[in-house]
């Protein structure tokens, strides 16, 4: 689960990690008031969307307006907020469609001496969390990793013991942070690592991390992503979820316990199991088609779930054909065939449906489909299924 | 021979009184696995499928001589269940449960690695040595005893591969589902080492997917240490970056973990690639033919 920058900063502030003062605004008027509340000096107005690259991104309706802008007066704050709010922000991470800006964060300006990078993730290869810092702040860390990996420094830590002081001193030495800034960095980094574990984060990214003219370490930006599997023990975090930032079909699928990801193609897929679902997308592509989605219906594949899955697939106007690919293991193909038929009749199909069943009682399952009188194209084997659905989609 | 489990394995089910636990205990029994009992805290003294239920794993080990366990407890209690099994001296711990928080697994993983125990999963279908021992949720009948060792990060895709192999007349020594989470107890490398040492395994099929670097690490290991023919398939060539594809671990993040990178690493190690998921069984045949 992702949250907005202003929400992440609230969590950082509560935990004792240094952030700048700021206020969230949903109208230009509120943004102006927020500017005044910050003392009327330099402030920054930042569009709040769940995607990075906001500073370089632009508003579709106002091509000169970037997603983050420095302002020096109340009027300017209101003007910038006016252009951002309700606008469509397109960044390298949003795709060409962009995200609608529904709120802005008005934050105090800051005297920047240096810009650094800080990120915490789970290092899968080491099976431990890792704190990464770099002297190259404010740019994409993927770019730094590809071009100058020697400028990224890493320290793993045990979630229960936390990041040790010596590890911070080591990183400071490598980054060239000296004097009283080392103490500020120690509090910042150790507290942040603790927060990462406490809140079951999957990512915390502070880019840029700033050393101020006074030598303090401050988070200028903040990105936090949480482990969906751990949300059951963080009811408070669930309140921070912004459904307007998520794909409506994905939200709907989530409610039905379906694992769904929207893609750009025109062949809808309904599959049991994540690995088989990914492979089904791959084989469609291999035979010249484009999958419209990833959909894992899970091990059960009950009639209600299949029905809801069909509805979600057919709600996508791009979909020209649907492929059902089920390997019936514990679940029998006869049960699945009946579920597909029932769902097919309930939903009212307007595009061709190709069904490939394999596994337990497959002959009986296919017989049920064949004798149903329903206009379903049956396929044997993955390749046959892919070819038939690609042909059906035209 | 085979790896990890065989006809002498004495299996326990943690969470046996739950719906999934009871259902799959029955499935394992029917396959012929020696299931010796179950554990559900607070339900000690009951029976399920005629098997004794205990309050603790410790008691089940002492009374029934269990040396393997499959875990079906809810995600919030899975870390505790794994650690309980490890503490009781269970040798093979198979965590089927999906949705275990990653931070829990960081802690569990560190503990497991310090002990002489194999943890398979979490979020996995289990493992099977055909005709001897089935631990988990896979359909037993699709398997056939034979020379191919199979390891995978997926569930139904594994069944698909097994089915292709069986239909080609290629049986399996042991099939292991490693699990779809970012941190799992056993890696491809751990199993490559065992398959290489197992005289019954003559070829290996590895099924990976996007996310992480486990496949790249396995490729490097194969190049240095594996003499047997290896074939591989990678799922998710069409997956977009930044999206979790069902499995918690199947995500391309920061431009890393793409299928293309993995396929390139596997090819460089001389591994036979199945370009299509329909080609997994045939890829194993090609890998074997190349060596003979």
């Amino acid at each position: 689960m992702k949250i907005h920058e202003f929400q992440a900063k609230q969590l950082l502030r509560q935990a004792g990690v240094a952030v700048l003062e700021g206020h969230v605004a949903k109208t230009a008027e509120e943004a102006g008031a927020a500017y005044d509340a910050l003392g009327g000096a330099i402030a920054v107005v930042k569009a709040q969307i769940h995607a990075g690259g906001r500073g370089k991104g632009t508003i579709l309706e106002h091509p000169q307006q970037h997603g983050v802008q420095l302002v020096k007066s109340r009027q300017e704050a209101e003007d910038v907020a006016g252009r951002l709010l309700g606008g469509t922000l397109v960044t390298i991470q949003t795709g060409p469609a962009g995200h609608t800006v529904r709120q802005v964060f008005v934050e105090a300006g800051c005297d920047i001496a240096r810009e650094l990078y800080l990120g915490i993730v789970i290092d899968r290869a080491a099976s431990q969390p890792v704190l990464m810092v770099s002297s190259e702040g404010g740019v994409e860390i993927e770019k730094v990793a590809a071009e100058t990996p020697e400028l990224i420094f890493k320290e793993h830590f045990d979630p229960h013991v936390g990041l040790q002081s010596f590890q911070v001193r080591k990183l400071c030495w490598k980054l060239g942070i000296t004097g009283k800034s080392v103490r500020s960095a120690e509090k910042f980094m150790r507290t942040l690592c603790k927060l990462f574990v406490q809140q079951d984060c999957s990512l915390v990214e502070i880019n840029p991390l700033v050393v101020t003219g006074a030598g303090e370490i401050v988070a200028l930006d903040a990105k936090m992503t949480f482990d969906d599997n751990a949300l059951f023990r963080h009811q408070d975090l669930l309140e921070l979820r912004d459904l307007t930032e998520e794909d409506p079909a994905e939200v709907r699928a989530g409610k039905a316990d379906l694992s769904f990801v929207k893609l750009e193609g025109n062949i809808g897929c309904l599959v049991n199991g994540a690995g088989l679902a990914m492979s089904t997308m791959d084989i469609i592509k291999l035979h010249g088609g484009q999958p419209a989605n990833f959909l894992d219906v899970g091990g059960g594949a009950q009639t209600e779930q299949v029905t809801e899955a069909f509805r979600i697939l057919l709600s996508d106007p791009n979909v020209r054909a649907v492929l059902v690919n089920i390997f019936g293991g514990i679940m029998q193909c006869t049960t699945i065939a009946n579920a597909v038929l029932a769902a097919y009749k309930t939903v009212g199909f307007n595009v061709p449906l190709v069904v490939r069943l394999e596994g337990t009682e497959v002959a009986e399952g296919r017989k049920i489909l064949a004798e149903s009188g329903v206009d379903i194209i049956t396929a044997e084997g993955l390749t046959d299924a892919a070819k038939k659905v690609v042909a059906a989609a035209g | 021979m085979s790896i990890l489990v065989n006809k002498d394995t004495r299996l326990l089910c943690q969470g046996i009184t739950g719906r999934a636990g009871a259902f799959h205990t029955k499935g394992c029994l029917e396959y012929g696995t020696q299931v010796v009992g179950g554990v559900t805290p607070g339900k000690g003294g009951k029976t399920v499928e005629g098997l004794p239920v205990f309050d603790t794993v410790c008691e089940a080990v002492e009374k029934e001589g269990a040396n393997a366990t499959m875990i079906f407890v809810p995600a919030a209690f899975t870390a505790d269940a794994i650690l309980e099994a490890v503490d009781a001296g269970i040798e093979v711990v198979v965590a089927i449960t999906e949705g275990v928080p990653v931070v829990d697994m960081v802690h569990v993983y560190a503990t497991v690695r310090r002990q002489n125990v194999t943890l398979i999963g979490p979020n996995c279908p289990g493992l099977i040595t055909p005709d001897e021992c089935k631990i988990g949720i896979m359909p037993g009948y699709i398997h056939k005893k034979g020379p191919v060792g199979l390891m995978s990060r997926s569930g139904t895709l594994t069944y698909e591969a097994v089915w292709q192999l069986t239909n080609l007349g290629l049986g399996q020594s042991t099939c292991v589902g490693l699990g779809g989470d970012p941190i799992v107890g056993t890696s491809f490398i751990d199993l490559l080492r065992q398959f290489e040492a197992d005289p019954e395994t003559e070829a290996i099929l590895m099924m990976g997917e996007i996310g992480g670097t486990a496949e790249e690490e396995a490729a490097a290991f194969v190049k240095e240490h594996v003499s047997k023919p290896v074939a591989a398939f990678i799922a998710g060539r069409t997956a977009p970056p930044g999206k979790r594809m069902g499995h918690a671990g199947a995500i391309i993040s920061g431009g890393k973990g793409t299928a293309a990178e993995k396929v390139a690493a596997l090819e460089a190690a001389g591994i036979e690639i199945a370009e299509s998921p329909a080609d997994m069984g045939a890829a194993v045949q090609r890998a074997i033919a190349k060596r003979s």
Side-chain angles (χ1 to χ4, degrees):
Chain A
M1 186 185 85
K2 292 177 179 177
I3 58 172
H4 289 291
E5 174 198 2
F6 77 91
Q7 296 168 321
K9 283 184 170 166
Q10 272 166 6
L11 292 174
L12 295 184
R13 184 189 296 279
Q14 282 161 14
V17 178
V19 290
L20 299 163
E21 194 188 342
H23 306 281
V24 69
K26 289 185 173 166
T27 62
E29 171 66 19
E30 280 177 24
Y35 174 85
D36 282 345
L38 292 175
I42 290 175
V44 183
V45 180
K46 303 162 116 179
Q48 299 294 294
I49 60 166
H50 283 187
R54 291 170 297 160
K56 290 200 181 90
T58 51
I59 296 289
L60 208 59
E61 296 81 359
H62 304 279
Q64 304 301 316
Q65 180 64 55
H66 290 275
V68 175
Q69 191 178 325
L70 201 75
V71 294
K72 291 177 182 166
S73 70
R74 177 175 178 138
Q75 188 58 49
E76 206 184 346
E78 288 185 8
D79 291 347
V80 170
R83 286 191 291 272
L84 291 176
L85 288 164
T88 311
L89 181 55
V90 180
T91 80
I92 51 163
Q93 291 185 12
T94 60
H99 284 215
T100 305
V101 180
R102 291 185 171 82
Q103 44 205 350
V104 295
F105 190 47
V106 184
E107 192 175 53
C110 141
D111 169 21
I112 300 171
R114 279 187 75 188
E115 291 195 2
L116 308 167
Y117 169 90
L118 182 153
I120 311 172
V121 293
I122 298 284
D123 178 352
R124 293 165 64 161
S127 299
Q128 268 203 325
V130 62
L131 169 70
M132 300 180 291
V133 295
S134 171
S135 51
E136 305 302 290
V139 294
E140 264 186 82
I141 196 64
E142 290 82 23
K143 199 163 173 258
V144 182
E147 291 166 10
T148 47
E150 69 278 7
L151 297 179
I152 299 177
F153 311 107
K154 298 177 180 181
E155 288 291 323
H156 289 91
F157 60 95
D158 180 305
H160 297 280
V161 182
L163 187 76
Q164 298 298 291
S165 295
F166 83 88
Q167 294 180 293
V168 180
R169 295 197 295 272
K170 200 166 133 193
L171 291 173
C172 284
W173 172 60
K174 289 186 173 167
L175 290 170
I177 292 175
T178 54
K180 71 170 190 179
S181 298
V182 176
R183 185 164 293 177
S184 178
E186 182 175 340
K187 178 160 190 265
F188 190 102
M189 292 183 193
R190 292 186 69 190
T191 311
L192 201 60
C193 287
K194 205 164 142 187
L195 184 68
F196 179 91
V197 174
Q198 266 172 2
Q199 302 283 22
D200 280 292
C201 296
S202 50
L203 168 82
V204 171
E205 195 172 55
I206 310 293
N207 189 21
L209 173 74
V210 156
V211 186
T212 65
E216 294 296 319
I217 307 286
V218 178
L220 211 61
D221 192 7
K223 187 169 162 188
M224 284 178 99
T225 309
F226 304 97
D227 177 2
D228 293 337
N229 287 345
L231 287 174
F232 69 86
R233 57 190 177 203
H234 299 284
Q235 290 304 315
D236 50 331
L237 292 178
L238 282 175
E239 288 166 22
L240 302 179
R241 187 170 174 195
D242 182 354
L243 291 176
T244 62
E245 284 287 327
E246 299 177 30
D247 183 271
E250 291 180 16
V251 173
R252 187 173 167 188
K255 282 183 191 151
D257 247 343
L258 301 166
S259 186
F260 175 86
V261 177
K262 168 101 179 62
L263 300 171
E264 303 298 323
N266 61 5
I267 297 175
C269 314
L270 188 160
V271 189
N272 67 335
L276 190 58
M278 271 189 274
S279 305
T280 304
M281 287 159 42
D282 294 349
I283 199 166
I284 287 172
K285 183 83 183 285
L286 203 64
H287 290 281
Q290 293 288 348
N293 67 280
F294 164 96
L295 194 154
D296 172 9
V297 72
Q302 308 292 330
T303 305
E304 305 78 54
Q305 267 191 312
V306 175
T307 307
E308 180 66 0
F310 277 157
R311 287 202 174 111
I312 292 168
L313 294 184
L314 295 175
S315 71
D316 179 350
N318 293 332
V319 168
R320 293 279 171 269
V322 171
L323 170 61
V324 170
N325 181 20
I326 305 274
F327 197 103
I330 296 302
M331 175 152 238
Q332 296 167 350
C333 288
T334 45
T335 313
I336 295 156
N338 284 320
V340 168
L341 278 180
Y344 184 90
K345 287 171 185 163
T346 313
V347 172
F349 254 64
N350 49 2
V351 297
L353 172 66
V354 178
V355 178
R356 181 263 177 162
L357 292 178
E358 193 55 86
T360 316
E361 289 187 18
V362 66
E364 293 85 345
R366 286 182 189 151
K367 199 170 158 211
I368 290 172
L369 292 180
E371 291 174 359
S372 66
V374 171
D375 190 16
I376 293 176
I377 304 165
T378 52
E380 287 186 34
L382 281 173
T383 306
D384 186 41
K387 283 182 176 165
K388 279 181 173 158
V389 78
V390 170
Chain B
M1 281 283 287
S2 54
I3 67 166
L4 297 167
V5 296
N6 56 37
K7 60 184 187 328
D8 299 321
T9 300
R10 295 174 68 78
L11 181 68
L12 204 64
C13 176
Q14 284 170 266
I16 193 168
T17 54
R19 201 170 57 91
F23 179 78
H24 292 292
T25 294
K26 187 162 176 264
C28 293
L29 275 171
E30 283 166 359
Y31 191 76
T33 308
Q34 279 197 68
V35 190
V36 297
V39 173
T40 299
K43 301 267 174 79
K46 293 193 178 222
T47 59
V48 172
E49 296 294 326
L51 300 168
V53 178
F54 301 96
D55 285 316
T56 65
V57 177
C58 203
E59 190 183 352
V61 168
E62 195 178 297
K63 296 202 172 140
E64 303 294 336
N67 58 6
T69 179
M70 58 177 181
I71 296 174
F72 283 95
V73 305
F77 313 113
T78 300
D80 183 61
I82 295 171
L83 294 174
E84 180 182 3
V86 172
D87 174 75
I90 296 280
E91 292 155 24
V92 177
V93 180
V94 184
I96 309 294
T97 307
E98 180 178 358
V100 181
V102 179
V103 165
D104 289 7
M105 280 309 299
V106 170
H107 176 54
V108 167
Y109 183 87
T111 307
V112 163
R113 286 280 150 168
R114 283 197 297 270
Q115 315 268 344
N116 190 22
V117 57
T118 299
L119 168 66
I120 307 287
N123 190 12
C124 79
L127 77 165
I128 181 168
T129 292
D131 295 349
E132 295 194 31
C133 178
K134 165 179 127 94
I135 301 180
I137 62 175
M138 69 290 282
Y141 78 94
I142 60 172
H143 300 81
K144 169 186 154 86
K145 198 166 193 55
V148 182
L150 195 152
M151 51 187 190
S152 169
R153 281 169 66 188
S154 168
T156 44
L157 183 62
T158 312
Y159 312 160
E160 186 79 46
V162 167
W163 192 234
Q164 287 175 20
L165 287 170
T166 298
N167 285 331
L168 289 169
L170 280 170
Q172 305 91 40
S173 55
T174 302
C175 303
V176 187
L178 298 173
D181 279 355
I183 298 180
V184 290
T186 297
S187 69
F188 285 129
I189 294 177
D190 296 327
L191 295 184
L192 282 166
R193 206 174 269 133
Q194 300 208 36
F195 280 133
E196 175 70 9
D198 173 34
E200 208 172 80
T201 302
E202 292 167 23
I204 301 161
L205 173 59
M206 171 176 148
M207 298 155 70
E209 64 190 26
I210 54 160
T213 53
E215 292 80 3
E216 286 90 330
E217 288 150 29
F221 184 86
V222 167
K223 204 169 179 179
E224 293 295 318
H225 305 288
V226 179
S227 65
K228 297 176 180 178
V230 182
F233 174 74
I234 302 292
R237 289 187 190 217
T238 46
K243 286 282 190 179
R244 173 175 142 166
M245 305 302 279
H247 290 155
I251 180 165
I252 300 168
S253 50
K256 286 283 165 193
T258 64
E261 285 175 302
K262 292 173 188 297
V263 169
L266 294 165
E267 272 179 334
I271 293 169
E272 184 68 30
I273 302 292
E275 294 290 338
S276 154
D279 183 45
M280 295 183 289
V284 176
Q285 279 185 321
R286 290 199 300 275
I288 294 170
K290 271 190 187 170
R291 295 294 174 91
S292 50

